[in-house]
Amino acid sequence: MAEVFKPADNSTTNNIDRRFSVAPMLDWTDRHCRYFMRLLTKRAVLYTEMVTTGALIFGKGDYLAFNEEEHPVALQLGGSDPDDMARCAVMAQERGYDEVNINVGCPSDRVKNGSFGACLMAQPETVARSIKAMQAVVDIPVTVKCRIGIDDMDEYKDFAHFVDVVASSGCDTFIIHARKAWLQGLSPKENREVPPLNYPRVHALKQAHPNLSVSINGGIKTLEEAKLQLQHVDGVMVGREAYANPYLLAEVDSAVFGDVSAAPSRKEVVLAMNEYIQRQNDPYFKPWHVARHMLGLFQGQAGGRVWRRYLSQNGTGKNPDPNLLLNGLAALEEAQSNVKAFKDAKVG
């Protein structure tokens, strides 16, 4: 049997190259998803789902679990109390995370009621206090992910004031979703789509603060678009497109970082993830916990719908397929063979 493709060992990462990263996405970028994505790209920075300080301090689950292969990997933290934020930053560093990122962009009611997320755009001094408290107790970078504004605080001067105050506390890295957030009247999903993108505002911030590391997020769907953005900012963060069409990540190392090493094929990734599934020893683990992140792996390919349908129909329910990925791959390859036979017969 051919050797199964494995992620690179990036565990000694110190200086994070932020030219390309995958966004933190609630309910999506768990450790299984990140392991899968790391098979596709050795270089992109990966972010956890947002974890709240309350979950880390008082929760019973292990919210910091990750695979060593995920490096460089950052914890996104939700909170606003400086002492709690500092305590959680220490926990993240002790567990081996490469970065702690503060969520100042999520607009959901649950986040707003907890006094963190996008509502903190109106409280830059609160964010600054957390930055100082966290940097005083950890050596890993403490960064901020924010919006360009909220509600009626959506002028460039409001955005610049927020960045100035937070940067004065010692934060030198900002990841900016280039949309404002409406805290009233729009759902989190609508807040990702309805407010218009304003890339020039983020570009202007970088121009005004060449000493800051500025990454841009929002609406970027191709690596060509990413490379155009890199002419204006230091990094690009892609979220939903990387999740829906994950094989996009297989081109990141060469297109963005100039790494000429060969990317794995889709089939190699499936075999590697099947091996990953076999290694799991959690009694509550199910293959679907991994497979759900892989539905888009064959997007745009012959048999892609067969792959998605097989995983969705056979990965859930009372009797899920224990060999879900391998049997899904077999169904895909049979569909591809049928397509080829049909085309050959048509040509003949």
Side-chain angles (χ1 to χ4, degrees), residues 115-152:
S115 297
F116 56 91
C119 66
L120 290 175
M121 293 287 298
Q123 305 172 48
E125 292 81 6
T126 298
V127 180
R129 286 194 291 271
S130 288
I131 294 284
K132 286 182 178 178
M134 296 163 78
Q135 288 185 335
V137 292
V138 298
D139 300 317
I140 58 176
V142 178
T143 67
V144 166
K145 186 174 189 290
C146 64
R147 296 277 185 138
I148 58 172
I150 54 170
D151 298 335
D152 295 325

Side-chain angles (χ1 to χ4, degrees), residues 13 18 73 96 113 159 211 220 276 299 313:
T13 299
R18 305 178 188 281
V73 58
N113 293 337
F159 175 48
N211 57 312
I220 299 163
Y276 174 80
Q299 181 170 307
Q313 292 179 348

